[in-house]
Amino acid sequence: MIKKLVLLTVCVWATILPSLSHDQEIDAFTSLQVRSLAGVSKESFKDFFVECFTKGYEGLTLEQLGKADHPNLEHFLTKVAYEEWEKETNPTSPLEKTYRLLFFQDFQIVGYVSMVLEDDGNTVYLTQGCLAPDLWGKGAVSYVINTIIPTYALKAKRYNLLTRVLNTRAIKAYEKIGFQKDLSGELVKKHHYSVDHFIGMTKTRVLPLSE
């Protein structure tokens, strides 16, 4: 049973990152296996997703989340989880460069992230994600951003994401690994979300000389 989880992007990884070196991060997560979302059942993904984001939204009401039209939080999260899974297994835009990745450790799902490559691959828009509690406090967010994602987005010079305005822990965590707030609100508006509920964050990536 997953007892504590931490969120990314629209729903956020809400942990404060430790001060691990890049080499320490790599050593800590070399056992992670990355697979496509299509590799698991709809119900398995839903169970992980709902429990993950339920913990991340702890203390927030549906009104604060801008989802008062749903009867309860589980109903809303189940709907989102099913939509994510359906998008992966029945894509409506096959030319869109979207990756929905699950992270496994000891045959258990321990994380999820989805991302879209924009601007001919020069920008990564991180749309969803969550990590299991055993990965807290070990630099997992930094490792995913700096090591895993670049293998899918070789040309990307910028990472964009949205997170909840009320999720101050996540905002601080992202700032700690180099993200900056988009105070103009343009990033939120670009992706058709409300500036009352979300704030955009962006990070510039320095490409290796070989890239």
Side-chain angles (χ1 to χ4, degrees), residues 93-99 115-118 120-121 152 155:
S93 301
L95 298 180
E96 181 182 71
K97 294 184 178 179
T98 301
Y99 297 95
M115 59 184 175
V116 179
L117 302 189
E118 302 176 331
D120 295 323
Y152 293 86
K155 298 192 304 178

Side-chain angles (χ1 to χ4, degrees), residues 162 182 185-195 198-200:
L162 308 181
D182 171 32
E186 291 304 313
L187 187 57
V188 174
K189 295 174 184 176
K190 175 182 177 180
H191 294 286
H192 310 293
Y193 286 90
S194 168
V195 293
F198 293 96
I199 185 169

Side-chain angles (χ1 to χ4, degrees), residues 5 24 30 46-48 57 76 81 87 91 97 106-107 132 140 148 162 177 180-181 206:
L5 289 160
Q24 286 175 309
T30 50
K46 184 266 293 182
D47 290 343
F48 176 77
Y57 285 149
F76 162 58
K87 288 175 186 176
K97 294 184 178 179
D106 298 327
F107 305 104
I148 293 181
L162 308 181
I177 59 171
Q180 297 181 329
K181 298 175 184 176
V206 178

Side-chain angles (χ1 to χ4, degrees), residues 127-141:
T127 62
Q128 292 279 9
C130 52
L131 290 172
D134 288 347
L135 301 185
W136 287 29
K138 298 177 181 178
V141 178

